[in-house]
């Protein structure tokens, strides 16, 4: 895969859903993997709340863990849009693997590609493309939407920083080797003291705390991180000290498009199930999709999905084109998470009683959809961003 396969290659005025040859090939290979390797494991992974290590290895082998990473660091050097397609295709089958790949690419790799020194890139990006798993640690028990109120502190000790505090809700935390982690190194300066660090799981004073038992995306690990005089070398500051707030805002702006992709993948998976089931299920002597009431519901689901998909694709293409995409990313995440919740809920109703039990796939899609309104900024936070950008702040 070459760098030249970007959206810019698309002929001017071509539909958003038209893919370049490379994009098409990549999408088909991810779909084949999702259908052949992932689908048979989904139920058990959800039940056990654990990703199958064999699948993780396959994600690396397929090049899914370093999609935008430059070739010199062992990545596929593809576009952001390509990463979005991967998250969508994986989430169509299992949103836990979707977010596993999403966090690695849109948050961790992106932060390193953009702000890493060449030494950091050599050391960490190369590993992240071949075997290391990354996590992104911003939230704490007392600071979620108000992320800059974090209490984790970093004290300058000359050749290293000493970090103390706890992070909460950290996706990929069980599997991760490398954490992009935020701490305040100068609390008097307020948010301008926030600094990003690359923390290895083996650093002294770093440990994993409680693992959450969740409603949805159960196979994706969500954990607490504990930092007790955690010794982080100075060369592991990512970007400039005191500029962590900027790194977190900008990575999450991109990350939101990834969550949008996860949501349209979930919605597509549920809609496909509903289309198949309503064609088979017989009531009153005919397939239930022969009733106009059911047909209209399916038509509405398909229309809403199409709208959400266009929003996600457009935001991703804007990002690849170097345009300002912040408003469009917030809108795409807000809308696609609402659509995913509605479509998966309707899919359950179209299955009737069978939709409510774990023998059928749709209840899981609904459980998995709920997270879209919460992480990487709640729906209210997206509305706040959109409002600020359309009204202007004084
Ligand atoms: C499964 C899962 C995985 C996660 N993964 C990660 C991860 O990998 N890394 C990471 O750093 N974090 C992660 N998070 C944390 C996530 O980003 C936060 O949960 C989210 O930002 C919300 O913060 P909170 O839970 O503290 O809720 P709060 O901020 O307390 O919000 C509670 C409610 O108040 C509303 N609210 C708050 N402030 C305002 C306001 N000013 N105006 C209007 N409404 C407001 C919110 O919209 C929400 O409805 C994850 C969370 C979950 C559940």
């Amino acid at each position: 895969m070459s760098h030249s396969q970007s959206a810019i290659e698309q002929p001017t005025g071509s539909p958003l859903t038209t893919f370049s040859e490379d994009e098409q090939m990549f999408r088909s290979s991810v779909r084949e993997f999702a259908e052949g390797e992932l689908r048979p494991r989904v139920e058990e992974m959800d039940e056990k709340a654990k990703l199958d290590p064999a699948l993780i290895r396959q994600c690396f082998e397929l090049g899914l863990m370093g999609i935008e990473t430059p070739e010199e660091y062992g990545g596929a050097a593809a576009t952001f849009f390509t990463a979005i397609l991967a998250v969508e295709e994986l989430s169509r089958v299992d949103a836990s693997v979707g977010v596993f790949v999403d966090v690695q690419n849109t948050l961790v790799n992106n932060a390193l590609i953009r702000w890493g020194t060449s030494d950091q890139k050599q050391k960490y990006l190369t590993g992240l493309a071949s075997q290391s798993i990354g996590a992104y640690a911003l939230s704490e028990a007392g600071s979620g939407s108000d992320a800059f109120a974090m209490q984790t502190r970093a004290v300058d000790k000359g050749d290293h920083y000493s970090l103390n505090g706890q992070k909460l809700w950290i996706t990929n935390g069980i599997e991760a080797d490398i954490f992009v982690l935020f701490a305040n190194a100068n609390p008097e300066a307020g948010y301008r003291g926030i600094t990003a660090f690359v923390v290895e799981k083996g650093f002294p004073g770093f440990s994993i705390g409680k693992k959450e038992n969740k409603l949805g995306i159960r196979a994706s690990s969500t954990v607490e991180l504990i930092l007790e005089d955690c010794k982080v070398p100075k060369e592991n500051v990512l970007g400039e000290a005191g500029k962590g707030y900027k790194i977190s805002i900008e990575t999450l702006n991109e990350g939101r498009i990834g969550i949008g992709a996860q949501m349209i993948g979930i919605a597509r998976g549920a809609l496909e199930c509903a289309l198949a089931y309503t064609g088979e299920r017989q009531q009153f002597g005919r397939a239930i999709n022969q009733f106009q009431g059911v047909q209209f519901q399916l038509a509405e689901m398909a229309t809403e999905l199409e709208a959400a998909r266009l929003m996600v694709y457009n935001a991703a293409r804007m990002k690849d084109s170097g345009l300002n995409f912040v408003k469009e990313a917030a809108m795409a995440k807000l809308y696609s998470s609402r659509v995913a919740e509605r479509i998966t809920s309707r899919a359950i109703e179209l299955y009737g009683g069978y939709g409510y039990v774990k023998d059928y796939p749709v209840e899981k899609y609904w459980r998995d959809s709920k997270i879209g309104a919460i992480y990487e900024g709640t729906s209210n936070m997206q509305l706040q961003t959109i409002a600020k950008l359309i009204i202007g702040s004084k």
Side-chain angles (χ1 to χ4, degrees):
M1 213 173 282
S2 78
H3 210 357
S4 62
Q5 64 170 44
S6 73
I8 298 146
E9 221 180 62
Q10 296 269 323
T12 314
S14 67
L16 277 172
T17 48
T18 302
F19 302 133
S20 70
E21 208 175 304
D22 281 343
E23 286 168 353
Q24 255 175 46
M25 272 166 48
F26 176 81
R27 185 171 179 253
S28 316
S29 73
V30 181
R31 183 166 291 202
E32 200 179 297
F33 166 68
E35 287 296 345
E37 301 294 331
L38 181 50
R39 199 176 293 279
R41 294 170 159 108
V42 171
E43 208 182 315
E44 194 184 341
M45 293 199 307
D46 184 62
E47 195 75 27
K48 291 188 173 161
K50 191 177 181 327
L51 290 178
D52 185 333
L55 271 182
I56 297 179
R57 274 196 303 279
Q58 285 171 308
C59 286
F60 281 106
E61 283 158 18
L62 261 180
L64 294 176
M65 302 303 271
I67 297 172
E68 287 177 88
T69 302
E71 277 166 1
E72 59 182 307
Y73 304 114
T79 57
F80 181 73
F81 186 78
T82 311
I84 290 308
L85 284 180
V87 176
E88 180 190 2
E89 284 302 321
L90 293 168
S91 303
R92 173 178 161 269
V93 176
D94 183 31
S96 290
V97 175
V99 75
F100 173 73
V101 166
D102 175 70
V103 166
Q104 176 99 352
N105 284 282
T106 72
L107 298 180
V108 180
N109 290 343
N110 264 347
L112 279 157
I113 291 169
R114 187 131 174 235
W115 286 282
T117 61
S118 58
D119 283 353
Q120 287 171 344
K121 287 182 185 171
Q122 200 61 53
K123 186 166 178 191
Y124 294 114
L125 268 182
T126 311
L128 285 160
S130 58
Q131 63 196 24
S132 311
I133 295 161
Y136 184 88
L138 178 68
S139 306
E140 299 179 2
S143 66
S145 300
D146 188 10
F148 295 166
M150 69 181 64
Q151 291 303 306
T152 299
R153 297 290 179 250
V155 177
D156 190 338
K157 298 279 187 183
D159 65 336
H160 71 274
Y161 279 94
S162 177
L163 270 56
N164 279 283
Q166 282 109 37
K167 294 287 170 186
L168 201 64
W169 312 117
I170 309 309
T171 300
N172 293 356
I174 293 283
E175 299 84 6
D177 309 286
I178 291 157
F179 297 78
V180 171
L181 187 146
F182 297 84
N184 199 319
N186 182 10
E188 289 86 65
Y191 73 89
R192 288 179 185 279
I194 295 171
T195 302
F197 297 90
V198 184
V199 177
E200 295 178 25
K201 77 170 175 200
F203 281 174
F206 178 90
S207 59
I208 304 285
K210 181 180 167 236
K211 179 182 173 215
E212 305 297 338
N213 183 7
K214 306 195 297 296
L215 168 76
I217 53 164
R218 288 179 52 76
S220 159
S221 65
T222 311
V223 301
E224 180 189 20
L225 308 181
I226 301 162
L227 301 144
E228 288 168 319
D229 299 327
C230 177
K231 199 172 166 185
V232 181
K234 276 261 166 85
E235 63 262 27
N236 279 38
V237 168
L238 183 63
E240 275 174 60
K243 289 284 166 63
Y245 72 95
K246 189 173 152 63
I247 295 177
S248 70
I249 290 174
E250 295 191 10
T251 42
L252 286 170
N253 282 339
E254 295 176 19
R256 274 173 203 135
I257 309 175
I259 302 308
Q262 184 194 31
M263 292 298 122
I264 60 172
I266 291 172
R268 173 170 303 284
L271 175 60
E272 285 172 2
C273 286
L275 284 168
Y277 184 81
T278 55
E280 285 162 14
R281 176 69 175 169
Q282 301 275 323
Q283 289 292 282
F284 302 99
R286 62 175 86 164
I288 57 173
N289 71 1
Q290 297 308 300
F291 300 113
Q292 196 180 53
V294 169
Q295 290 172 351
F296 282 9
Q297 285 186 318
L298 292 168
E300 239 174 75
M301 290 156 81
T303 305
E304 289 198 341
L305 172 57
E306 184 68 0
R309 184 170 171 236
L310 295 177
M311 289 175 82
V312 171
Y313 284 9
N314 190 47
R317 298 253 194 234
M318 285 176 80
K319 199 249 160 216
D320 277 330
S321 306
L323 298 169
N324 187 328
F325 60 89
V326 176
K327 182 183 72 190
E328 286 75 10
M331 287 175 164
K333 177 183 182 283
L334 174 77
Y335 188 72
S336 59
S337 59
R338 289 181 171 171
V339 162
E341 214 178 314
R342 275 201 295 274
I343 290 179
T344 54
S345 171
R346 283 222 183 127
I348 293 179
E349 290 169 31
L350 288 169
Y351 269 68
Y354 300 101
Y356 204 67
V357 294
K358 287 181 187 283
D359 297 343
Y360 290 83
V362 283
E363 61 83 33
K364 177 178 176 294
Y365 283 119
W366 182 63
R367 288 188 284 110
D368 287 351
S369 75
K370 190 66 222 177
I371 193 58
I374 299 170
Y375 59 14
E376 300 205 22
T378 64
S379 291
N380 275 356
M381 292 301 104
Q382 306 311 318
L383 289 167
Q384 196 181 76
T385 300
I386 298 160
K388 215 183 275 176
L389 290 167
I390 59 170
I391 298 165
S393 48
K394 294 203 172 116

